[in-house]
Amino acid sequence: MDLIIRAPGQLPSIDEDKLLRIICLVAAATMLVAAGGLAFADGSGDPTAVKSDDGKYFDKAGDPTYKIGADGTVDWYTYSGYRRYHSECHVCHGPDGMGSSYAPALKDSLKTMSYADFLSTVASGRKNVTTSQENVMPAFGDNPNVACYMDDLYIYLRARANDAVGRVRPAKHEDKSKAYTDAETSCMGH
């Protein structure tokens, strides 16, 4: 490694191509900041169900989604997600995903959060620290009452994010499928 000694005020030499790339990068970053930051597409995507597999619905990207019939009947996963959310998540995140003074409104978070990010956050937790506050979400990846129902939670909150279900327990739901029951039994270790 060579030690370069420069006189005070002497700038390092840089080739023109590298300088032009740096100027373009700084200009792009400046325009991004001036425009209000990064623009993210809706992380949860189009929630329209295009495929069904044993009572579980998927959107065109292959992510789990909700299905609500014309008569208001919700799929089993949405109904189960409602039940699981209100047994595990509402204490911090408020009823119906509306948030609280110390945890965000998941109804809003799922408008921009992808399925993969949701799973990662729930399983591994998250810590957001600023000078004015410290928000910590614990990891739930080893809690079977959450881990076994992450898709249910995602589907319910996705339905809430898209105003497809209201702030009440769904009145009608599809039956629990055998495939769901088998997966639940296996996950819970029964």
Side-chain angles (χ1 to χ4, degrees), residues 13-58:
S13 65
I14 188 168
D15 70 1
E16 288 182 24
D17 287 339
K18 189 173 184 180
L19 181 60
L20 185 58
R21 283 193 302 266
I22 292 170
I23 291 171
C24 288
L25 182 62
V26 169
T30 302
M31 288 189 302
L32 186 63
V33 170
L38 296 171
F40 293 100
D42 180 357
S44 65
D46 179 1
T48 304
V50 298
K51 178 183 162 194
S52 174
D53 185 14
D54 286 321
K56 187 173 188 177
Y57 297 90
F58 299 90

Side-chain angles (χ1 to χ4, degrees), residues 42-45 56 59 63-65 77-78 80-82 84-86 88-90 93 96-97 104-126 137-143 145-161:
D42 180 357
S44 65
K56 187 173 188 177
D59 65 15
D63 293 336
T65 194
Y77 286 82
T78 299
S80 175
Y82 170 90
R84 293 295 166 177
Y85 178 86
H86 288 88
E88 299 289 336
C89 310
H90 85 281
H93 291 283
D96 309 305
L106 297 179
K107 178 186 185 302
D108 296 333
S109 296
L110 257 73
K111 291 178 181 176
T112 57
M113 182 180 277
S114 71
Y115 173 58
D117 287 343
F118 176 83
L119 294 178
S120 174
T121 301
V122 174
S124 302
R126 174 180 282 177
M137 178 176 158
F140 287 98
D142 60 354
N143 178 342
N145 290 316
V146 176
C148 294
Y149 302 97
M150 281 197 222
D151 280 358
D152 307 45
L153 292 164
Y154 176 80
I155 292 166
Y156 165 69
L157 290 167
R158 190 175 194 193
R160 288 289 297 130

Side-chain angles (χ1 to χ4, degrees), residues 8 37 71 73 76 127 154 158:
D71 66 350
T73 300
W76 177 259
K127 185 172 187 174
Y154 176 80
R158 190 175 194 193

Side-chain angles (χ1 to χ4, degrees), residues 164-180:
V165 294
R167 296 190 64 187
V168 297
R169 183 183 189 117
K172 296 186 283 186
H173 58 81
E174 293 177 354
D175 292 334
K176 185 191 305 190
S177 70
K178 180 176 178 344
Y180 183 99

